[in-house]
Amino acid sequence: KAGVTQTPRYLIKTRGQQVTLSCSPISGHRSVSWYQQTPGQGLQFLFEYFSETQRNKGNFPGRFSGRQFSNSRSEMNVSTLELGDSALYLCASSLTGTHTEAFFGQGTRLTVV
Amino acid sequence: KNEVEQSPQNLTAQEGEFITINCSYSVGISALHWLQQHPGGGIVSLFMLSSGKKKHGRLIATINIQEKHSSLHITASHPRDSAVYICAVSLNAGGTSYGKLTFGQGTILTVHP
């Protein structure tokens, strides 16, 4: 059974640009959650999608957005990049998003210069 | 005060030692997760607990719901166990908990040969 796949693994962008990250969940998993990990703030929840609908959202500005497709693959987009957006972005998939184990991808390391 | 607190923050051990990492939380939860993160970023789910005790190989996780406390034990530690161990909880908060994990700050474990 294939795991959670995130692409790309590494990304360097310039301030002001936008970026799109992709997450392919485990087959059969309908919930995809996104997290940001930084040395200062640790792991923080961005949002969760289930059956193409955003069900939950963390405390991040509107520059952070996402979507989910009918095959459960998810993308997150960050517009107008700031230096502080440099982080490891992780996605996690689970069957339902509640009371089920979460499986994480390897992450996308974003560097904003 | 963080909703999830781990101790210790750093732990150094000699190969073969018995290791305990503690996690306390202050909110109602539906489940507690123990995660492992190696350098390079990927996170692996070790356990998901809502009560009692689970064992997998040399790893044992326990939870005491009344005391809001969980422990992760590693028996006969090995240098390959060196990683960051993260406690995370799924809040028992209805819609605002969908797909969302709330994390402790992590415990950096180093096992020397």
Side-chain angles (χ1 to χ4, degrees):
Chain A
K1 196 174 187 181
V4 179
T5 303
Q6 289 188 246
T7 56
R9 290 291 312 278
Y10 302 92
L11 208 46
I12 300 175
K13 288 286 188 179
T14 304
R15 259 186 313 175
Q17 287 187 314
Q18 74 165 10
V19 67
T20 299
L21 311 182
S22 179
C23 175
S24 293
I26 291 171
S27 178
H29 286 193
R30 295 167 66 189
S31 169
V32 175
S33 299
W34 288 90
Y35 298 91
Q36 181 195 66
Q37 186 177 33
T38 59
Q41 299 296 319
L43 279 154
Q44 294 185 289
F45 173 74
L46 281 155
F47 30 66
E48 186 252 10
Y49 285 86
F50 181 84
S51 292
E52 301 178 67
T53 300
Q54 185 184 86
R55 288 195 305 184
N56 201 2
K57 189 176 187 306
N59 192 22
F60 278 81
R63 300 185 297 107
F64 291 82
S65 63
R67 58 178 175 168
Q68 187 180 36
F69 302 95
S70 58
N71 62 357
S72 293
R73 189 178 70 87
S74 178
E75 290 181 346
M76 68 163 280
N77 184 276
V78 188
S79 62
T80 319
L81 284 165
E82 300 176 0
L83 295 178
D85 297 332
S86 295
L88 180 68
Y89 290 88
L90 290 150
C91 78
S93 80
S94 70
L95 281 169
T96 64
T98 59
H99 312 297
T100 56
E101 192 172 6
F103 295 85
F104 286 79
Q106 290 294 305
T108 294
R109 186 163 297 280
L110 172 65
T111 302
V112 182
V113 297
Chain B
K1 189 178 188 295
N2 292 334
E3 292 173 315
V4 183
E5 296 278 355
Q6 281 184 241
S7 63
Q9 291 192 22
N10 286 279
L11 186 53
T12 301
Q14 290 297 126
E15 184 172 356
E17 286 184 355
F18 181 85
I19 286 162
T20 296
I21 300 170
N22 296 300
C23 176
S24 296
Y25 53 92
S26 57
V27 292
I29 68 168
S30 60
L32 183 141
H33 307 250
W34 281 103
L35 310 169
Q36 180 193 57
Q37 186 173 33
H38 280 284
I43 290 177
V44 174
S45 175
L46 299 175
F47 296 103
M48 186 181 81
L49 293 160
S50 54
S51 65
K53 176 180 175 178
K54 287 190 176 181
K55 183 175 189 292
H56 186 258
R58 295 179 296 106
L59 301 179
I60 303 165
T62 64
I63 188 168
N64 185 317
I65 298 294
Q66 286 72 32
E67 294 186 4
K68 292 187 164 64
H69 181 269
S70 175
S71 293
L72 176 69
H73 305 288
I74 305 175
T75 62
S77 59
H78 190 276
R80 65 174 174 266
D81 296 327
S82 298
V84 178
Y85 291 83
I86 303 168
C87 171
V89 299
S90 302
L91 299 181
N92 194 9
T96 59
S97 64
Y98 289 145
K100 176 182 177 181
L101 294 178
T102 301
F103 301 88
Q105 69 272 49
T107 295
I108 302 171
L109 172 65
T110 305
V111 182
H112 293 294

